[in-house]
Each structure stands twice: as structure tokens, then as C-alpha cells.
Amino acid sequence: MRGLMAAMRRSPMMTLGLGVLLTGLVACNQHQQTALQDISGLMPDLAFNLTNENGEAVNASRYHGKVILLYFGYTHCPDVCPTTLGTLALALHDLGTDADKVRVLFVTVDPARDTTSVLKQYVNAFGPQFTGLRGDDDELENLARHYRVAYTREKPDPKGHYTVTHSSAVFIFDGSGKARMLVRSTDKADAIAQDLRRLIASD
Amino acid sequence: MPTIRISSIPKLPFLSTRQLPRPRRHKTIDVVIALAALLTWSVTFAAPSVSVTNARIRLLPGDLPLAGYFDLVNQGKEPLTFIGASSPAFKMVHMHLSMEHGGKSTMIKLEAIELNPGETLNFSPGGYHLMLMERVQPLHVGDKVPITLQFSGQQSLPVMFEVRNAGTN
């Protein structure tokens, strides 16, 4: 090290070269990082037994080979849920034909109001890659516990309208069902598209 | 940041639509009543000094609650209090703020938002929004929907909102 320092003092050009090399390494390292939060190894693999918007019983194996975006929400949510799904729809639009390698699984935390027919109309409004999933209270609770997702049905108003407080995160799984990234509400569509492209390329 | 108020505020005077039989009276009194009515009309419908742009509604299927968004600037010299909205196209309109706390999303109902002169208020996805409930008739992408924004001091402003696709933010 002392020798290197001495050489740098002797040769300013070498110092500059070393600087360029280091900058290059840092840039390269950044390129390897995900745009979204990396959750590899921190969450269980994709697993569920639910009913889809066509009334069919489905489990995770049905989606093997697809990159999966898993989101918990409810259709009577006027702002946050459609905003999140809208951002995902924009990201999928960015992918072009590769969007078919991705599925968005929207699990309702309000199965009482979100019947299969309500779910079907709802997910169709966002695009062909969107699937609605529902389960009874026990199935939903098990799944939510599995992914440490929280939801609370608030007290209904006199007209019976109620809101559901729920986790805002979207979990991304690769084609083999491994948890890879977390989309937060502040993440933009282009960052999501960038990581989806990388996952599709590596699958 | 605009100041928000979530506690109750004084309600707007209730306008009765009940038709009462008109008693006979002198013409001059009629003129006075007409003038008074005109004055009341101009007070009730006084437009505040605001500009509203980018007014839109995100369409969802069926009769699911919708969100209305817009950008509002207080162009007047006085502070302004935005107290809500109403529309002939919806039976119920609430003013909400979406919030995220500890990774969970929730909404709170607002009663009033105060805006200083020159201040901008963005009703936008993931934040402030009008929650539009119980459609009077089905809506389609591209429709224009009238919504009246209401302010304290009996001021109001009718705005046309454009209905947009579900997958657009």
C-alpha cells in the first residue's frame, strides 16, 4: 500500500486512472442492484389455494414460469388500490409483448363484497395480465399471515359503507416462485418495468 | 402544505325545495323580494378566485366508488377554505386523504382544507381525492361530468371532470 501511495505521488496520471477504474466499478455495482427493494430470501415462496375470478380453484403451480406481482386490496377502495394497479398496468405497458410473461394477482381482503363477478369486471378493467383471487376468511387470514400482510375492516357507516385498511406493498416473485422484490407506493412504473425486464431475462 | 380540518364544520344553510302557497301581496313587496332573491342568488353562487385544471375521474366498473382528482390554485388575496363537492351524477361525494402508516394504507374523511393566497392544492392519486359514490347513471370513458366544488362563505365553482380509463393515473 505504501508503495502504491508513493507511485500515486510520483504519477498523477496513475491516480486519475485509478479514480476512473474505481468509478467504473461503483457504476457497475449499481447496475447489478435492483431499482426496487430486494427481498430475495426474506419472504416465503409463492404459495396459495384460492378461487380466481372465473370461480376456478387455483394454486401457485398454475403460474409457474410467469413473473408474479402479488397485491392485497379491495375493489371498493377508490384511490390507493386502483392507483397501485394503474402503476403496475403502466409498467406492463412498458414491457410490450413481454407483458404476457407477467401476471398480477389481486387478492381481495374484502371477500364479502368482492364476489367472483365483481372481481372479474374489476381486473378486466386493468388488463389481460390481471387476475382476481378470493378465499374465505380463514384462507385469506392464512395467506396474509404467510406473507405478514395486515388488513383491518373498519366500522361501517350508517349506510353500510366501510373501508379496509391494508398493506400497501406489492410482492414480486420470479418464474420459479421465489420472492425477489417489493414495490412500495412511492415506486414509479419505469423502476418496476426495469426490474421486471431483468427478471424476465434471467428466467 | 394546506391546512386540513377533519373535525365537524358548520353546515351550509339548508335550501328547502318545498313549494308553499303564495299569499297575495303588494307589487312593491314583490319587487323587494325579487331584489332580495337576486342578492341571495349572487351570494350563494359567488365564484371564488381559483383556477382548477386537470379535473378527471378514474373509471371503475359497476357501481364501485370512484376517485376524482384536480389541481386547484387559490388566486385570490384571501385565504380560502375548500369544504367539499357535490354532483348531480353521484348521490354521495366525500373528501378524503389517503395515508400510509407503517406500510398500511388508509383513508381519512376531511371536512375542510384551508388554502393561503397563491397556494396550490393537488388532488392526486395516493393523496387527496374526492370519493364519488352511487352513480346516478352508468359512466363511460370520455364522458364529461359536472362537479361543483364548494368553499366557505357560500362560494362554489362548477367544474367539468373528464372520465378516464381505470389503468391511467
Side-chain angles (χ1 to χ4, degrees):
Chain A
M1 198 62 196
R2 198 179 293 161
L4 180 66
M5 293 303 283
M8 280 165 68
R9 266 199 303 277
R10 278 196 300 275
S11 163
M13 276 312 283
M14 185 180 164
T15 312
L16 185 68
L18 208 71
V20 168
L21 184 71
L22 280 174
T23 310
L25 279 173
V26 169
C28 189
N29 188 34
Q30 273 174 351
H31 186 71
Q32 291 299 315
Q33 281 174 1
T34 56
L36 308 169
Q37 189 180 331
D38 191 338
I39 56 162
S40 302
L42 299 175
M43 293 284 290
D45 292 357
L46 186 67
F48 59 83
N49 283 295
L50 294 166
T51 304
N52 72 9
E53 77 276 16
N54 296 315
E56 302 161 335
V58 287
N59 58 35
S61 66
R62 184 181 179 119
Y63 301 99
H64 188 82
K66 302 281 185 195
V67 170
I68 296 298
L69 301 157
L70 179 69
Y71 180 55
F72 293 80
Y74 67 111
T75 69
H76 282 71
C77 161
D79 180 45
V80 170
C81 306
T83 298
T84 303
L85 295 177
T87 303
L88 300 182
L90 283 173
L92 292 186
H93 183 75
D94 270 11
L95 297 181
T97 53
D98 273 350
D100 188 46
K101 295 172 180 164
V102 181
R103 289 291 178 273
V104 179
L105 306 182
F106 175 80
V107 179
T108 177
V109 291
D110 185 18
R113 286 185 295 190
D114 291 342
T115 60
T116 46
S117 64
V118 169
L119 271 179
K120 187 172 184 152
Q121 277 193 313
Y122 187 75
V123 293
N124 284 349
F126 292 94
Q129 307 86 3
F130 289 72
T131 288
L133 296 173
R134 69 188 296 279
D136 61 29
D137 284 344
D138 285 347
E139 288 168 325
L140 177 62
E141 212 176 300
N142 283 338
L143 186 66
R145 203 178 302 126
H146 197 58
Y147 292 106
R148 284 166 262 161
V149 164
Y151 61 96
T152 317
R153 261 161 250 168
E154 305 296 344
K155 216 176 125 214
D157 71 9
K159 292 188 83 177
H161 299 295
Y162 59 90
T163 61
V164 186
T165 300
H166 59 99
S167 293
S168 47
V170 179
F171 304 106
I172 303 185
F173 298 83
D174 63 21
S176 59
K178 299 272 177 228
R180 298 296 293 273
M181 290 129 193
L182 181 78
V183 182
R184 284 165 297 191
S185 56
T186 46
D187 289 318
K188 302 275 180 272
D190 53 355
I192 300 167
Q194 186 185 324
D195 278 2
L196 288 178
R197 255 186 232 109
R198 206 196 317 261
L199 275 186
I200 291 166
S202 67
D203 264 350
Chain B
M1 269 301 280
T3 311
I4 58 169
R5 200 159 63 222
I6 55 174
S7 57
S8 178
I9 56 137
K11 290 270 180 286
L12 286 172
F14 180 68
L15 299 173
S16 174
T17 53
R18 200 154 50 112
Q19 295 293 313
L20 294 171
R22 267 177 71 142
R24 288 176 59 118
R25 59 179 170 244
H26 196 269
K27 238 178 178 167
T28 326
I29 297 173
D30 272 352
V31 172
V32 171
I33 287 171
L35 278 172
L38 193 70
L39 197 70
T40 313
W41 186 87
S42 63
V43 169
T44 307
F45 292 92
S49 281
V50 295
S51 75
V52 175
T53 50
N54 208 14
R56 74 260 188 215
I57 294 170
R58 180 173 42 209
L59 188 63
L60 294 173
D63 196 21
L64 291 173
L66 306 178
Y69 305 114
F70 55 91
D71 302 318
L72 186 152
V73 184
N74 178 7
Q75 292 182 322
K77 290 186 171 63
E78 301 294 326
L80 193 67
T81 308
F82 180 45
I83 56 169
S86 65
S87 170
F90 300 95
K91 289 188 189 154
M92 239 189 342
V93 181
H94 288 169
M95 188 158 68
H96 277 179
L97 175 62
S98 293
M99 299 179 82
E100 198 173 303
H101 185 70
K104 284 172 84 179
S105 301
T106 189
M107 293 192 306
I108 56 167
K109 191 172 169 231
L110 303 177
E111 299 290 343
I113 304 174
E114 278 157 29
L115 275 168
N116 287 321
E119 201 168 5
T120 300
L121 177 62
N122 299 111
F123 269 55
S124 60
Y128 292 109
H129 57 277
L130 294 177
M131 182 162 88
L132 311 164
M133 297 175 85
E134 299 183 31
R135 285 167 230 190
V136 170
Q137 58 187 46
L139 295 175
H140 305 94
V141 171
D143 286 354
K144 300 276 198 295
V145 177
I147 296 178
T148 299
L149 307 184
Q150 292 155 346
F151 302 87
S152 63
Q154 309 262 8
Q155 301 181 96
S156 64
L157 183 75
V159 176
M160 292 306 268
F161 281 63
E162 188 188 312
V163 177
R164 297 200 189 155
N165 202 309
T168 51
N169 278 342

